[in-house]
Amino acid sequence: MSGLRERQKAQRRQAISQAAVQLFELQGFQNTTIEQIASQAGVSAPTVFKYFGSKQEILLEMLQEADERALRDTRRLIPDIEDPVDTLCHLEKLLTGYSLEVLPASLWRELLPLILSGGDTGLPQRYRVMNDALRGAIADLLLDLQKAGKLRADLDVDLTAFLLNDYSHLQLLRLVSQDKPDIESHSLQVRRVTTLLFHGMRI
């Protein structure tokens, strides 16, 4: 019986998330209320608050799950990838791809300026906490590559993770600003810069 209840809770949580994204895309994140999300999902507003503390939390949970999935999928491939550039380009490709799976480009166009420039939505502060965790996970991945002898021993993995994460946000903003996001050109540009970072400035 408890298994059925857990499945029902998971289904309700997913229904709320899907309803929220539909409304965010249709009328914008800032213009969407919890009451509208509840109506779209066929539940009450208190039910939405039972599962999510705010509409920001709905977004952040989806993004966190996408980030964690990208990191897991990349880590599984590390033993089979020799060049760290390939590993990091693969990670960035998954981070971008999974982010666009859970939130459409049109919604990212609204959210990224809010996230990057601040404001009173509460989103920048909460996103920053989540992004700090992502940057730490990227640093851990770099550390594993370093221990495997694929990166030089004196590499500052925290600074490198910061640079890669910061650059990834900039490229995502450029990508979603296009009417039709060109994933192939985006991936090529990321590879060029990542290659420069790891190989292009060596003596």
Side-chain angles (χ1 to χ4, degrees):
M1 192 68 176
S2 62
L4 175 60
R5 281 199 295 269
E6 289 305 314
R7 285 197 300 274
Q8 289 173 335
K9 286 181 180 179
Q11 289 169 353
R12 193 171 294 123
R13 193 178 190 88
Q14 184 178 18
I16 292 169
S17 296
Q18 289 174 344
V21 172
Q22 289 170 1
L23 288 172
F24 294 157
E25 187 176 9
L26 181 66
Q27 61 191 32
F29 172 77
Q30 300 218 71
N31 295 327
T32 299
T33 66
I34 289 291
E35 290 73 21
Q36 290 170 333
I37 294 170
S39 177
Q40 181 82 356
V43 299
S44 67
T47 297
V48 175
F49 282 116
K50 177 182 175 182
Y51 286 91
F52 301 96
S54 66
K55 63 182 183 179
Q56 290 91 343
E57 285 187 19
I58 298 173
L59 280 177
L60 295 177
E61 180 177 289
M62 296 174 73
L63 292 176
Q64 184 174 359
E65 288 173 356
D67 289 346
E68 290 172 353
R69 181 179 159 206
L71 284 158
R72 282 196 307 271
D73 290 352
T74 300
R75 279 190 170 281
R76 278 198 289 267
L77 293 176
I78 285 180
D80 302 320
I81 302 177
E82 187 60 34
D83 190 341
V85 170
D86 291 337
T87 301
L88 294 170
C89 286
H90 185 75
L91 173 61
E92 195 282 335
K93 182 179 180 180
L94 293 184
L95 286 170
T96 299
Y98 293 166
S99 293
L100 290 173
E101 275 183 23
V102 296
L103 300 180
S106 59
L107 185 52
W108 274 112
R109 281 195 287 273
E110 178 189 4
L111 292 176
L112 277 172
L114 292 175
I115 289 168
L116 299 176
S117 64
D120 59 359
T121 63
L123 186 61
Q125 296 81 5
R126 294 175 186 182
Y127 184 88
R128 195 172 299 118
V129 172
M130 185 192 77
N131 191 59
D132 284 346
L134 172 61
R135 193 167 62 239
I138 294 172
D140 288 343
L141 187 146
L142 290 168
L143 186 60
D144 288 346
L145 292 173
Q146 192 178 53
K147 289 177 180 176
K150 296 179 180 179
L151 299 175
R152 54 176 229 253
D154 63 345
L155 179 71
D156 186 333
V157 295
D158 291 323
L159 177 59
T160 305
F162 171 82
L163 290 172
L164 291 171
N165 182 259
D166 211 45
Y167 176 72
S168 180
H169 275 94
L170 176 60
Q171 287 304 310
L172 180 60
L173 180 59
R174 288 175 175 164
L175 179 66
V176 300
S177 295
Q178 301 168 5
D179 291 334
K180 292 183 179 180
D182 188 340
I183 298 291
E184 188 175 338
S185 294
H186 167 84
S187 296
L188 180 60
Q189 178 67 5
V190 168
R191 176 167 288 278
R192 285 172 176 162
V193 172
T194 307
T195 299
L196 174 64
L197 180 62
F198 279 88
H199 299 305
M201 291 184 282
R202 293 188 303 185
I203 296 176

